[in-house]
Amino acid sequence: TQTPTLLAHYERAPGRDSQLYAFQESGAVDRAQGWLRAVSTLSRDNVSKDMQLADSLFAARDNKGLAELLNTTDWGPNDAVRLALLAYVARANGDENGARTEWRRALTLAGRDVGRLRPLAELASDWKWRAERLEAWDRLFDRMPNDPAILNELMAYHRAAGRTGDMVRVLDSYLSAHPAGAPQVAEFAYYSMLSGINVSRAYVNARQAYESAPADVNRRLVYAFALWQQKR
């Protein structure tokens, strides 16, 4: 391929502009293999030259050049994406501890900001990183609790780890955007009672869930559990 010649060209070229120009003029890099295409809010028209160059290096699978660029630049409001790419490079190089460290840094920097978290979730999805995608969505879900498929994935994710309190939190977020009669009310009441979180509210939810559908076996069991806890 032309890529080795291209890499030699840009490595000799001074400055980001020359490096980026070398990629653009060569036509050797398939943009469909870059990372920018996976992030819905970013494109080559609205990102810095450093980010465009990172996209080219990613597409060329030049992890060494990409790591050097990522470690010597600052992407301002998109810096969480830079850290996520460092996690990708680390994992590609077999450094799992380094990958997890960089990903945690990316999540910490993104905080609860939807605009910063969404690109992380999109990149993790594109890379087929299930755990990392769910970690990003776990934070996003507090602000965007609308997708029942994501709810089910998050519930399975936290259930497998035995994180009952997190299941309560995720269900609470989901129910905040859905009617009181949603089928998840009984599940919310059950896990609330198990974890001792908002128990009085859980008793009320269990009764309301049962009264709205008394023939439903799960709701009957949750209500019976609530009555047993109250020694009734």
Side-chain angles (χ1 to χ4, degrees):
T1 68
Q2 300 179 51
T3 303
T5 302
L6 170 63
L7 297 185
H9 182 175
Y10 87 71
E11 284 172 353
R12 291 194 302 269
R16 307 292 187 216
D17 287 346
S18 297
Q19 295 173 12
L20 186 58
Y21 180 78
F23 273 113
Q24 291 171 337
E25 291 301 303
S26 72
V29 175
D30 181 2
R31 300 297 180 200
Q33 301 302 314
W35 61 268
L36 270 174
R37 58 170 178 72
V39 182
S40 59
T41 57
L42 300 177
S43 72
R44 297 187 67 79
D45 296 327
N46 69 352
V47 298
S48 67
K49 286 186 171 61
D50 286 336
M51 296 174 74
Q52 293 180 48
L53 182 56
D55 185 60
S56 296
L57 291 165
F58 185 100
R61 299 297 184 260
D62 178 17
N63 290 334
K64 180 180 178 181
L66 180 57
E68 182 179 352
L69 174 69
L70 296 172
N71 280 312
T72 56
T73 54
D74 185 321
W75 291 6
N78 293 306
D79 217 40
V81 171
R82 181 182 65 83
L83 296 174
L85 289 168
L86 277 172
Y88 178 91
V89 171
R91 183 162 289 173
N93 290 334
D95 181 5
E96 187 60 28
N97 289 335
R100 290 299 301 162
T101 296
E102 295 297 350
W103 184 259
R104 284 192 293 268
R105 289 179 64 203
L107 287 176
T108 299
L109 183 58
R112 298 286 170 176
D113 187 321
V114 171
R116 296 186 179 190
L117 282 169
R118 185 188 284 276
L120 301 186
E122 291 174 333
L123 286 172
S125 179
D126 190 58
W127 299 338
K128 296 180 172 52
W129 289 7
R130 181 176 181 272
E132 286 79 4
R133 179 173 65 86
L134 290 175
E135 286 168 352
W137 262 108
D138 192 43
R139 294 173 178 233
L140 274 170
F141 205 72
D142 290 342
R143 302 292 185 88
M144 304 169 61
N146 297 313
D147 191 329
I150 293 293
L151 169 68
N152 292 336
E153 277 202 85
L154 287 173
M155 289 296 291
Y157 172 65
H158 289 308
R159 188 181 294 113
R163 294 191 287 256
T164 308
D166 284 316
M167 287 191 280
V168 173
R169 174 179 53 78
V170 169
L171 284 166
D172 196 14
S173 294
Y174 183 77
L175 291 172
S176 70
H178 293 79
Q184 291 80 10
V185 171
E187 194 175 12
F188 173 71
Y190 175 68
Y191 286 118
S192 294
M193 288 184 286
L194 278 185
S195 59
I197 299 172
N198 296 322
V199 174
S200 296
R201 177 185 170 193
Y203 294 155
V204 173
N205 289 154
R207 176 176 56 79
Q208 292 176 339
Y210 167 73
E211 290 175 348
S212 66
D216 185 284
V217 174
N218 289 332
R219 297 186 187 210
R220 290 166 62 186
L221 288 172
V222 170
Y223 186 42
F225 183 51
L227 293 174
W228 176 78
Q229 281 212 333
Q230 297 172 82
K231 296 181 170 49
R232 293 171 57 189

